[in-house]
Amino acid sequence: MTTTPVASRDALSEPVDDLTGEHAVKRARIMEILDRTGHDSLLMTSNTVMTWYLGGSRLHISLAGDPVAVLLVDRERDHLVTSNNEADRLIREELPAGVVVHPVPWYESVLEVARRLAVPEPLAEADVQRELRMARQELLPVEAEHYAALNREVARAMTDVLSAVRPHTRERDVAAELSARIVAMGAEPLVLLCNGRERSAFRHPLPTAAPLGRRAMAVVCARRRGMVANVTRWVRFDGSTAAERDAEVRIAAVEADIFAATVPGARLDTIFDGIRRSYAVHGFGPEQWRLHHQGGPAGYAGRDPKVTAATDDEVVLNQAFTWNPSGPGVKIEDTVLLTAEGVRVLSVDERWPTVEVNGLMRPATLEI
């Protein structure tokens, strides 16, 4: 079928931030990939890649579903192919200037239509996953600013919600309050976890009707403008035990070792090897790393990617990370940015109690 292209923005559109400079840089990075691979176009199909390239445009309806559009980037322009029932909203509210929108009937395949727009066959996103990951490693100043603001707001929401809970509060009520604040800040709650005292053994505790009891953990992964903030916090009601204090100190020491290794030029597999050793050094045993993923680069995906012994990407300046070392009953997690001055913690609320660990203020357990 033949599509009728539509301009991405008209004079009646709701005002949005000027994304021209950001988009130009990202388009240049894609052109470099096309030059290296000898192709004339790239077909983007994932939410992570498209929201990065389009400056945070929301291309989803269901958080659990596939994007409602695909993007063909060629040497002349950007072509967004979407269903006719999505096109007007995307044009008026989401897309940066200059994107040509191709509406197709809702019952047609947007992927097939996009492929027919490209001659010759476009480069598939799946064939250059590593290259695209490298392209989005270094955050631009506007991205770092938006990301820092989101992380601050998520950290504040954590303080607001957890300061008000009590031992009888249900895990689901904690998640509901956090979700309301995330939506109110214009973000999307991708992950909401909470465990009370009786479920503290679970590393990924989906909330239940169980009460918090004397000690609880909450985890939020919230997305806005395509970027994902990841934060974990703990609350306790009747004082700490010596064993709890000891474990909290040791897991913070593991994180400090990871931060110290996160420097420009370091390879992620080398950092991962250091993480495994750090668990043993700090009394968690040599196998603790096997029980939960350790985090990794962050930004337009919760982890971009999760670091393993096979991840050989190199760390760059202005790259975001969320490391999350954990042990029995303990976990520490914040989103950080690697700057020329070192690791900068983004998810900070000055009201939350902290302790100094290797020169950085790190979150302590909130005692109520």
Side-chain angles (χ1 to χ4, degrees), residues 43-45 50 67-72 79-82 110-111 114:
L43 184 57
M44 300 180 180
T45 54
M50 287 191 288
V68 296
V70 297
L71 185 68
L72 180 73
H79 303 267
L80 189 92
V81 183
T82 189
V110 295
L111 186 59

Side-chain angles (χ1 to χ4, degrees), residues 80-287:
L80 189 92
V81 183
T82 189
S83 301
N84 60 320
N85 58 314
E86 306 292 350
D88 188 57
R89 176 184 65 85
L90 295 178
I91 290 169
R92 291 180 176 273
E93 297 182 348
E94 298 295 338
L95 298 175
V99 178
V100 178
V101 177
H102 299 260
V104 302
W106 61 265
Y107 48 84
E108 296 281 347
S109 167
V110 295
L111 186 59
E112 290 305 316
V113 171
R115 284 173 174 155
R116 289 199 293 269
L117 288 174
V119 179
E121 182 77 10
L123 179 64
E125 176 186 317
D127 294 333
V128 282
Q129 287 184 345
R130 180 186 177 89
E131 291 85 349
L132 289 168
R133 202 165 64 240
M134 300 303 101
R136 59 182 181 267
Q137 274 184 304
E138 180 184 351
L139 298 187
L140 300 174
V142 65
E143 293 177 297
E145 180 181 346
H146 291 321
Y147 204 26
L150 171 62
N151 275 279
R152 284 194 303 270
E153 291 175 46
V154 171
R156 289 169 185 163
M158 283 286 218
T159 302
D160 290 340
V161 171
L162 294 181
S163 295
V165 301
R166 295 297 180 265
H168 63 269
T169 304
R170 300 186 310 168
E171 295 169 349
R172 286 176 182 162
D173 295 333
V174 176
E177 289 294 326
L178 288 169
S179 179
R181 282 165 169 76
I182 291 165
V183 173
M185 68 179 69
E188 298 138 10
L190 300 186
V191 177
L192 290 170
L193 304 178
C194 184
N195 63 8
R197 178 66 182 88
E198 299 306 315
R199 302 176 66 239
S200 61
F202 301 137
R203 308 284 172 116
H204 278 163
L206 294 175
T208 71
L212 299 184
R214 62 171 293 273
R215 183 170 180 264
M217 176 186 76
V219 178
V220 168
C221 300
R223 183 176 66 191
R224 189 171 69 192
R225 294 178 179 263
M227 309 188 81
V228 184
N230 311 289
V231 184
T232 293
R233 294 291 184 265
W234 290 83
V235 61
R236 188 162 44 219
F237 298 101
D238 65 351
S240 59
T241 67
E244 288 169 348
R245 293 192 299 272
D246 176 65
E248 289 166 359
V249 168
R250 289 186 291 114
I251 203 65
V254 173
E255 184 195 53
D257 289 346
I258 303 172
F259 284 161
T262 306
V263 295
R267 282 185 17 167
L268 294 180
D269 52 359
T270 301
I271 295 176
F272 184 74
D273 188 51
I275 293 172
R276 293 187 292 186
R277 293 194 304 272
S278 183
Y279 276 113
V281 168
H282 297 293
F284 289 101
E287 302 300 309

